Amino acid sequence: PVCMQDVSKLIKQLKDVEEHMGKLKVASKEVKRLQGSVQESDDEIRDLSAQEASLQRQLHNASARAAELEARQRLKREAADREMERWRTAQNEADKDNTHVSEEVEKLEEAARQMDRRLHDLQTHEQSEELKYAEEQELVEDKVRAYNRRVLNAITNTH
């Protein structure tokens, strides 16, 4: 026979079981909610991992592009430096040539000054000779006039 005490214990145990079942149900719902939350977190982690991988690729591509641009800039800078050095060399050569040309111009200018002095000397000598010639011509003309006067006087005195 089942006694009242046993029934009471069983009822109490049944209530405990129901209470635990309720708690288990709540815990089960909480577990499902947490599993959903964990799944969302896992999905978010996967998304973030994919974004990180994409950003890493972009960073790698940007770094590669930056390195390529830097290499191009270095090559352009080196080419510009070489061109500048060629220009400086050409400028130095031109300066040497200019110095040589300046020396030649100075020599030619000195020769021109000497020619001007000679020309001046020749013109002075020519003027001196022309003056002498004019004086001699005047002297001869004076002698011719004097001779003509004497001839004229001799002719006039004989008549």
Side-chain angles (χ1 to χ4, degrees), residues 49-63:
S49 293
Q51 287 178 7
E52 179 187 17
S54 174
L55 290 173
Q56 288 289 347
R57 283 190 303 277
Q58 289 176 11
L59 176 62
H60 175 74
N61 289 341
S63 295

Side-chain angles (χ1 to χ4, degrees), residues 86-139:
R86 279 196 292 272
W87 182 86
R88 282 188 192 112
T89 301
Q91 184 65 37
N92 288 339
E93 290 299 317
D95 289 347
K96 288 178 189 174
D97 287 347
N98 285 343
T99 300
H100 178 71
V101 167
S102 294
E103 291 170 357
E104 289 298 314
V105 166
E106 185 60 37
K107 288 177 185 175
L108 290 173
E109 286 174 348
E110 179 57 32
R113 285 191 291 273
Q114 288 177 0
M115 292 300 281
D116 281 344
R117 285 192 294 272
R118 282 192 208 146
L119 181 61
H120 181 264
D121 290 348
L122 285 173
Q123 287 173 338
T124 303
H125 180 70
E126 185 178 340
Q127 287 172 350
S128 171
E129 289 293 316
E130 285 176 0
L131 189 59
K132 272 198 231 173
Y133 174 75
E135 288 173 356
E136 285 179 14
Q137 185 175 356
E138 199 171 314
L139 225 145

Side-chain angles (χ1 to χ4, degrees), residues 10-22:
L10 282 175
I11 290 174
K12 187 175 184 231
Q13 286 177 352
L14 188 58
K15 280 184 182 179
D16 284 346
V17 166
E18 283 177 355
E19 187 183 317
H20 283 298
M21 287 289 283

